[in-house]
DNA sequence: AGCACGCCGACT
DNA sequence: GTCGGCGTGCTC
């Protein structure tokens, strides 16, 4: 006999970050289940909030009177057992609120909205009733009610003439469609119906004729279109009992109108087959192994994914595939839908809230067996998972950069263990963390070293921009790149140009020798701080003046580095007036669908050159691109981030892979100020393994990931001194519990020390094994609660993507 | 988060 | 003398 429910309420604070006991009204005892959303009274004054039932018990834990659950929001649990458990684990490992974790697992529309209102109880003065309440029974509370009005209302409330009521609004709406079903069953029935009509009822005769021809249930909209009859005629028909009008649920399907061609599995190469077999075997055996598929660009990773998923479906399981948001192009989606048709649900940011909700419900009702989506799709309510796949596993966007700061890779591995199914991480350029785990045997390494079409990897030429700039002071284009572009124009072949925008203007580089100012202690580039007119290291806090002369070659051309796409487009148009250029960056893709439209235009050869930022490096596949140019390879290298080399290598390798995908040979030209930098050298040779070995040595020397874990603790406050002081106090509390193997960096101010009038200070704890650290950090969060009331904000980020 | 309780300055 | 400021504690 379950009588009590434990409920986690929608109040994201540390003090309320635990289940509360509630009594279950008799009417709900049979239907209530863990994972359901409920509305409960919480706190004084009868305030209503939404909550999640986390457990049902026969005994109450709380020693006192319990309140009872108001209403059930769901008929079936919003979170199944797996997701409920996962949410708890996530809250613990990411230092975030349980309720926030549960909310992020669900479509946005399932998040409750709250309203507070004043309701008239007794008799109130006529003037107030008309002027304030506008003759309504309730007045919605809002910030813009005047102080005077509030005072009046408060007085009435105390006198018992008003009460405050709370509304918990569920925004999740199911879209419905009116359907027409013919009731009349046979010729005789139709004849009888016609006979009863007056001779001049022309429209109704038409309706009867239509119904006789169409006994099947059709949408009213369609019937109206086909008959050209008005809705009134159908309503009349329903009244006479000829037909029935009913409401049917419909899904908002974003790809409803696009025709997707069915595709067949492709013949696999020997390497692909080995990879497919390994993962499929694990899936069948219920093994939760993690595999790392390292496949060069164009090696057919996607086909491997598709066939593994097909095998999972064939065994009655479901499959989840994660793709970075920018790679989730219609091309990609259509490829999966082409193979699995209606069994596919897609979840990404381009969908409307309603569409996301519908896709989610299709999964939850087991109508979709394959899910493709970006980061948050890792929470898709698929049951009986047979495999989880994560494409481009190195992408930093898999880690959410706001609370809850989860990494989709960790979540995927957790779900693999829960479901006893394998996880497949795929990339041409795996993250060092994953590749190192494969080295140690934690993951199983699978490799696709060759391109599927047998084409060699494109030839990559490095252009030293220091030399080019000596000839042409301000140009962004070397003569070599320009000549190559002209060549493509003549041959009517397409080119892709990438402008690397990352790290725009935040570091200082010498235009003559490529020298970048580095921290003497940390081997990390110094960041320009315009507020203090200084160069600073974000790791150790080292500070020095902005250089006027290059310390390396004594040139005066040492300055901020960075260029915008618009400027480059203009320059290119002047250099190549006959070229048709398409620009793709945050500005031109802001509107919904703009991204797709630009790619579609380029695909249908409406332009010769596609000029864009990082977003063009991912997943686009245009057979006629024979030239890829990188205008500035270096910008990311200047970032104060130990992953700068890794990111640069990954980006260059990926963009290079865009050239020569079909049977035409591709060429890549990379312009750089640092042609001898190892990241660029290895990218030129497309040598991931070489890069991996070299970078691992550097990480080892610097005590960075994957040799060390890192936790970031950040404090912010309006007063810089207060923020710094608190950060030092916290650091001093952590130090005693750490072993001498751990390293604390900082406290240092953040690169943009002041954001929204707040100052940020942080420390980074690097460690291999500190069993007491997690509990200590939780304790710090708890004990600093009173401080958060005084304008402090404390953030803990396990394995941050950037330390900046 | 948001509400109530509780203790100190400017008003009827 | 009271109204109301916001600092503090609690919510099953």
């Amino acid at each position: 006999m379950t009588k009590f429910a434990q409920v986690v309420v929608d109040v994201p604070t540390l003090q309320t970050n635990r289940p509360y006991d509630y009594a279950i009204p008799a009417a709900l005892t049979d239907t209530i289940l863990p994972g359901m959303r409920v509305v409960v009274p919480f706190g004084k004054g009868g305030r209503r909030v939404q909550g999640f039932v986390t457990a049902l018990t026969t005994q109450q834990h709380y020693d006192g009177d319990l309140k009872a659950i108001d209403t059930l929001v769901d008929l079936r649990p919003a979170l199944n057992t797996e997701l409920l458990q996962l949410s708890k684990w996530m809250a613990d490992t990411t230092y975030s609120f349980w309720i926030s974790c549960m909310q992020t697992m669900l479509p946005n529309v399932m998040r409750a909205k709250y309203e507070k209102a004043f309701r008239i109880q007794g008799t109130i003065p006529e003037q107030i009733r008309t002027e304030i309440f506008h003759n309504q029974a309730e007045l919605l509370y809002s910030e813009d009610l005047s102080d005077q009005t509030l005072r009046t209302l408060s007085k009435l409330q105390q006198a018992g003439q008003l009460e405050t009521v709370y509304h918990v609004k569920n925004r999740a709406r199911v879209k419905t469609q009116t359907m027409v079903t013919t009731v009349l069953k046979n010729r005789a029935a139709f004849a009888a119906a016609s006979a009863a009509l007056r001779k001049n009822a022309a429209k109704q005769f038409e309706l009867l004729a239509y119904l006789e021809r169409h006994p099947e249930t059709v949408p009213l909209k369609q019937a109206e279109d086909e008959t050209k009859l008005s809705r009134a005629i159908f309503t009349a028909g329903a009244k006479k009992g000829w037909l029935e009008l009913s409401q049917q649920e419909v899904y908002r399907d974003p790809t409803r109108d696009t025709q997707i061609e069915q595709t067949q599995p492709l013949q696999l190469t020997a390497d692909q087959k080995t990879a497919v077999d390994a993962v499929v075997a694990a899936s069948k055996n219920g093994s939760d192994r993690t595999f790392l598929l390292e496949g060069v660009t164009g090696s057919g990773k996607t086909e491997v994914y598709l066939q593994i998923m097909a095998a999972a479906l064939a065994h009655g399981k479901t499959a989840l595939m994660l793709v970075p948001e920018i790679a989730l192009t219609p091309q990609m989606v259509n490829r999966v839908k082409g193979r699995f048709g209606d069994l596919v649900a897609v979840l990404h940011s381009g969908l409307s809230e309603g569409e996301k909700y519908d896709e989610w419900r299709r999964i939850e009702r087991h109508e979709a067996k394959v899910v493709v989506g970006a980061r948050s799709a890792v929470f898709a309510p698929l049951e009986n998972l047979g495999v989880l796949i994560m494409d481009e596993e190195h992408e930093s966007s898999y880690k959410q950069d706001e609370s809850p700061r989860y990494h989709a890779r960790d979540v995927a591995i957790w779900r693999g263990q829960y479901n006893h199914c394998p996880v497949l991480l795929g990339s041409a350029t795996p993250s060092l963390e994953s590749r190192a785990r494969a080295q140690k045997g934690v993951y199983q390494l699978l490799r696709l070293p060759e391109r599927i079409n047998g084409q060699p990897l494109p030839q990559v030429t490095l252009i030293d921009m220091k030399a080019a700039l000596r000839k042409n002071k301000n140009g962004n284009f070397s003569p070599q790149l320009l000549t190559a572009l002209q060549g493509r124009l003549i041959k009517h072949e397409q080119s892709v140009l990438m402008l690397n925008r990352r790290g725009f203007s935040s570091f200082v580089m010498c235009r003559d020798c490529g020298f970048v100012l580095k921290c003497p202690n940390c081997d990390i580039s110094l960041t320009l701080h315009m507020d203090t007119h200084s160069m600073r290291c974000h790791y150790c806090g080292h500070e020095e003046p902005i250089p006027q002369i290059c310390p390396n070659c004594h040139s005066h051309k040492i300055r901020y580095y960075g260029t915008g796409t618009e400027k480059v487009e203009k320059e290119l148009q002047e250099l190549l007036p006959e070229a048709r250029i398409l620009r793709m960056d945050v500005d031109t893709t802001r509107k919904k669908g703009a991204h797709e439209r630009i790619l579609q235009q380029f695909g249908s050869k409406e332009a010769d050159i596609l000029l864009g930022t990082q977003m063009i490096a991912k997943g686009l596949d245009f057979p006629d691109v024979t030239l890829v140019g990188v205008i500035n390879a270096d910008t990311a290298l200047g970032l104060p981030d130990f992953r700068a080399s890794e990111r640069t290598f990954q980006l260059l390798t990926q963009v290079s892979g865009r050239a020569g995908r079909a049977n035409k040979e591709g060429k890549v030209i990379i312009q750089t100020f640092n042609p001898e930098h190892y990241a660029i050298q290895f990218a030129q040779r497309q040598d991931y393994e070489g890069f991996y070995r070299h970078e691992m040595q550097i990480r080892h020397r610097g005590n960075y990931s994957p040799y060390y874990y890192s936790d970031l603790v950040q404090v912010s406050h309006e007063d810089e001194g207060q923020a710094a002081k608190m950060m030092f106090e916290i650091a001093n509390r952590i130090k005693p519990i750490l072993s001498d193997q751990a390293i604390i960096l900082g406290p240092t101010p953040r690169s943009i020390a002041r954001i929204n009038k707040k100052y940020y200070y942080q420390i980074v704890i690097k460690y291999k094994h500190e069993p007491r650290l997690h509990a200590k950090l939780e304790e710090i969060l708890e004990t600093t609660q009173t401080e958060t009331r005084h304008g402090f904000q404390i953030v803990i980020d396990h394995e941050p993507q950037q330390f900046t």
Side-chain angles (χ1 to χ4, degrees):
Chain A
M1 244 298 260
T2 59
K3 283 210 195 98
F4 307 103
Q6 300 206 311
V7 175
V8 172
V9 293
D10 183 11
V11 180
T13 64
L14 253 168
Q15 299 131 72
T16 53
N17 189 30
R18 62 192 173 81
Y20 285 83
D21 282 6
Y22 281 89
I24 303 171
L28 302 179
T29 39
D30 295 333
T31 40
I32 193 165
L33 287 170
M36 283 183 175
R37 291 174 299 159
V38 288
V39 175
V40 292
F42 190 69
K44 305 191 176 158
R47 183 181 158 211
R48 301 290 128 128
V49 293
Q50 190 172 86
F52 286 82
V53 177
T54 56
L56 297 173
T57 56
T58 50
Q59 257 184 307
Q60 75 179 76
H61 300 84
Y62 175 67
D63 185 19
D65 285 345
L66 297 189
K67 291 182 181 172
I69 289 172
D70 248 32
T71 49
L72 281 182
V73 181
D74 299 306
L75 296 173
R76 320 170 38 168
L79 296 173
N80 61 30
T81 316
E82 180 191 2
L83 293 176
L84 204 52
Q85 271 185 43
L86 174 59
S87 68
K88 181 78 178 89
W89 172 81
M90 224 169 94
D92 292 342
T93 52
T94 64
Y95 304 94
S96 49
F97 306 123
W98 195 357
I99 187 71
S100 312
C101 294
M102 293 193 276
Q103 310 263 45
T104 42
M105 293 180 159
L106 296 172
N108 246 325
V109 287
M110 292 176 77
R111 202 169 288 206
K113 284 270 184 288
Y114 299 100
E115 272 175 10
K116 185 178 131 177
F118 299 99
R119 180 198 284 275
I120 299 172
Q121 268 275 296
T123 44
I124 62 166
E126 195 52 36
Q127 195 195 358
I128 294 171
R129 187 186 285 276
T130 50
E131 284 177 18
I132 300 179
F133 279 80
H134 305 291
N135 290 319
Q136 305 282 304
E138 276 186 22
L139 172 69
L140 225 53
Y141 172 85
S142 87
E143 294 288 312
D144 22 270
L145 289 175
S146 74
D147 283 359
Q148 208 205 322
T149 309
L150 283 172
R151 225 163 293 152
T152 316
L153 292 171
S154 159
K155 283 207 187 92
L156 284 167
Q157 198 173 5
Q158 270 167 24
Q161 323 280 167
L162 290 182
E163 63 171 346
T164 37
V165 288
Y166 300 83
H167 302 295
V168 180
K169 296 188 56 168
N170 187 1
R171 292 181 300 131
R173 291 277 171 272
V174 172
K175 193 178 170 184
T176 57
Q177 182 176 58
T178 309
M179 304 296 286
V180 178
T181 312
T182 308
V183 173
L184 301 177
K185 282 283 162 287
N186 49 44
R187 253 209 129 96
F190 278 103
S194 321
L197 285 178
R198 289 210 316 241
K199 285 269 151 27
N200 60 353
K203 298 286 181 188
Q204 300 201 35
F205 281 114
E206 272 178 51
L207 175 60
L208 279 174
Y210 174 79
L211 291 174
E212 198 164 11
R213 268 181 284 127
H214 299 271
E216 72 280 2
T217 301
V218 293
L220 176 60
K221 182 87 177 50
Q222 186 192 325
E224 282 175 10
D225 288 349
E226 284 173 8
T227 55
K228 303 271 184 288
L229 291 171
S230 72
R231 170 154 299 189
I233 303 297
F234 283 89
T235 327
K239 260 198 197 126
K240 292 195 169 154
W242 302 345
L243 58 92
E244 246 166 33
L245 294 174
S246 59
Q247 293 297 311
Q248 191 191 63
E249 217 176 282
V250 286
Y251 292 125
R252 287 152 278 209
D253 179 4
T255 56
R256 180 185 330 104
D257 301 328
T258 46
Q259 275 302 314
I260 296 159
E261 227 171 284
Q262 283 293 313
T263 61
Q264 294 303 312
L266 306 174
Q267 184 71 39
L268 297 180
T269 64
D271 289 328
Q272 282 178 312
K273 193 167 183 321
T274 309
V276 170
D277 289 348
V279 182
V280 169
S283 184
K284 281 187 196 163
N285 298 335
S287 154
D288 58 14
R289 264 225 103 168
T290 300
F291 293 86
L292 176 63
L293 178 64
E294 181 190 320
V296 298
T297 51
S299 62
K301 288 189 288 294
T302 310
E303 187 60 29
V304 170
Y305 304 151
L306 292 174
Q307 298 207 12
I308 291 169
M309 292 198 287
L313 291 193
H315 286 88
K317 302 280 183 83
T318 62
L320 175 64
M321 177 166 157
L322 300 175
V323 177
E325 187 71 58
I326 35 172
L328 201 56
T329 56
Q331 280 179 331
M332 177 82 212
V333 171
N334 290 349
R335 230 179 130 183
V336 184
K337 286 204 169 174
R339 200 65 61 84
F340 304 110
D342 290 340
L343 291 176
V344 181
V346 182
L347 294 166
H348 66 90
S349 66
L351 303 183
S352 73
E353 301 237 302
E355 287 167 347
K356 274 184 214 161
Y357 178 54
D358 287 355
E359 290 292 87
W360 183 86
R361 282 186 307 136
R362 285 183 57 224
I363 303 163
E364 195 249 345
R365 294 172 168 187
H366 306 146
E367 291 170 30
K369 308 267 184 205
V370 175
V371 172
V372 185
R375 181 180 59 224
S376 63
V378 77
F379 302 116
L382 283 168
E383 282 172 22
N384 202 11
L385 272 166
V387 67
L388 294 116
I389 294 169
M390 183 180 237
D391 190 27
E392 313 276 356
E393 70 88 31
H394 62 276
E395 274 289 315
S396 60
S397 63
Y398 280 126
K399 168 99 192 252
Q400 179 152 294
D401 55 14
E402 57 189 54
S403 179
R405 298 166 201 279
Y406 69 92
H407 199 302
R409 191 198 293 139
D410 302 334
V411 175
I413 290 170
W414 188 97
R415 294 195 73 180
Q417 281 167 3
Y418 184 95
N419 287 281
H420 308 294
C421 76
V423 176
L424 176 62
L425 309 174
S427 176
T429 53
S431 63
L432 279 257
E433 287 83 356
S434 294
R435 181 62 186 81
R437 273 179 208 148
Q439 195 69 38
K440 281 168 61 183
V442 181
Y443 299 166
Q444 188 173 325
L445 185 63
L446 303 166
R447 297 189 63 197
L448 302 177
E450 271 151 41
R451 287 193 142 188
I452 196 134
N453 55 8
Q455 283 273 336
L457 285 165
Q459 183 210 340
V460 180
T461 311
L462 296 181
I463 307 293
D464 187 346
M465 285 305 276
K466 288 172 296 200
L469 266 177
R470 271 195 282 278
K471 291 189 196 113
N472 174 12
K473 287 191 298 271
N474 294 312
N476 279 302
F477 293 91
S478 61
Q480 294 94 322
L481 180 54
L482 218 49
T483 313
L485 284 169
Q486 278 159 342
R488 306 301 128 156
L489 285 178
I490 292 163
K491 282 194 278 177
H492 298 290
E493 290 173 354
Q494 291 182 299
S495 308
V496 167
L497 281 179
M498 185 180 76
L499 182 71
N500 194 351
R501 280 290 301 259
R502 183 171 253 143
F504 181 62
S505 269
S506 64
F507 74 110
V508 164
M509 187 174 77
C510 175
R511 288 251 169 174
D512 277 332
C513 71
F515 177 83
V516 174
L517 208 54
K518 284 198 171 165
C519 174
N521 315 317
C522 303
D523 254 359
I524 291 279
S525 324
L526 295 180
T527 304
L528 177 73
H529 283 244
M530 280 316 282
D531 49 351
T532 52
H533 289 282
S534 65
M535 304 297 299
R536 265 204 209 150
C537 172
H538 295 157
Y539 282 73
C540 67
H542 169 84
E543 193 172 347
E544 57 182 85
I546 302 170
Q548 301 301 316
I549 295 167
C550 173
N552 189 43
C553 71
H554 307 291
S555 155
H556 286 271
K557 282 193 205 154
I558 183 157
R559 58 182 65 129
Y560 330 132
Y561 194 67
T563 318
T565 31
E566 219 169 325
K567 202 176 125 200
V568 172
E569 183 189 17
K570 205 167 147 233
E571 183 185 342
L572 187 61
Q573 200 59 262
E574 277 164 22
L575 291 165
L576 301 171
E578 72 279 23
R580 295 167 301 163
I581 305 169
L582 260 178
R583 180 161 65 94
M584 185 158 97
D585 56 23
V586 273
D587 295 328
T588 60
T589 55
R590 194 160 303 156
K591 274 196 231 117
K592 193 180 164 179
H595 187 257
E596 294 154 26
R597 205 183 55 247
I598 293 174
L599 290 180
Q600 207 263 320
Q601 280 177 349
F602 191 63
S604 58
K605 303 265 195 97
E606 286 171 41
D608 308 300
I609 299 170
L610 178 66
L611 169 68
T613 52
Q614 276 88 322
M615 57 179 84
I616 61 167
K618 320 282 176 188
L620 50 109
D621 193 354
F622 295 114
D624 288 300
V625 171
T626 56
L627 174 68
V628 169
V630 179
I631 293 168
N632 53 347
D634 312 278
T635 50
L637 284 178
L639 282 183
D641 182 349
F642 73 87
R643 290 197 174 90
S645 298
E646 183 182 357
R647 298 234 165 89
T648 301
F649 174 81
Q650 285 164 347
L651 188 63
L652 294 180
T653 307
Q654 257 167 17
V655 76
S656 300
R658 302 296 129 220
R661 303 272 297 191
N663 38 24
K664 287 178 194 157
E665 204 183 318
K667 185 171 166 60
V668 179
I669 295 178
I670 296 175
Q671 300 189 150
T672 171
F673 287 95
N674 294 290
E676 61 297 316
H677 191 286
Y678 68 92
I680 289 173
Q681 287 280 328
F682 283 116
Q684 181 191 17
R685 280 176 259 140
Q686 311 262 298
D687 180 7
Y688 173 77
E689 287 292 316
F691 173 79
Y692 163 69
R693 284 191 296 272
H694 187 102
E695 181 69 11
M696 282 297 272
Q697 286 175 22
I698 289 173
R699 300 287 180 93
H700 185 62
R701 249 187 283 145
N703 299 331
Y704 289 121
S705 173
Y707 292 97
Y708 276 77
Y709 296 112
S710 61
D711 284 347
L712 176 122
V713 183
Q714 187 183 74
V715 171
S716 62
H717 194 271
E718 281 196 16
D719 182 282
E720 187 171 14
Q722 293 263 21
K725 187 163 161 271
M726 172 71 73
M727 192 67 260
F728 274 96
E729 276 169 24
I730 290 173
N732 286 334
R733 284 173 61 186
I734 295 171
K735 273 174 197 159
I737 62 108
L738 294 177
S739 72
D740 51 12
Q741 276 196 31
I743 302 161
I744 290 195
L745 304 171
T748 65
R750 250 182 78 150
S751 64
I752 317 162
R754 200 168 66 138
I755 303 168
N756 285 333
K757 293 185 193 162
K758 278 190 159 193
Y759 288 88
Y760 290 81
Y761 273 76
Q762 63 186 33
I763 59 171
V764 174
I765 306 145
K766 296 203 290 187
Y767 61 98
K768 280 179 188 282
H769 181 64
E770 295 295 334
R772 295 169 67 192
L773 181 57
H774 185 81
K776 190 72 193 175
L777 291 176
E778 279 187 335
E779 181 209 300
I780 282 169
L781 274 183
E782 265 166 48
T783 53
T784 49
Q785 271 308 286
T786 37
E787 275 81 358
T788 58
R789 282 255 166 129
H790 298 111
F792 284 98
Q793 200 198 340
I794 293 151
V795 166
I796 298 179
D797 190 355
H798 175 62
E799 292 290 293
Q801 288 300 301
Q802 276 127 326
F803 293 0
T804 48

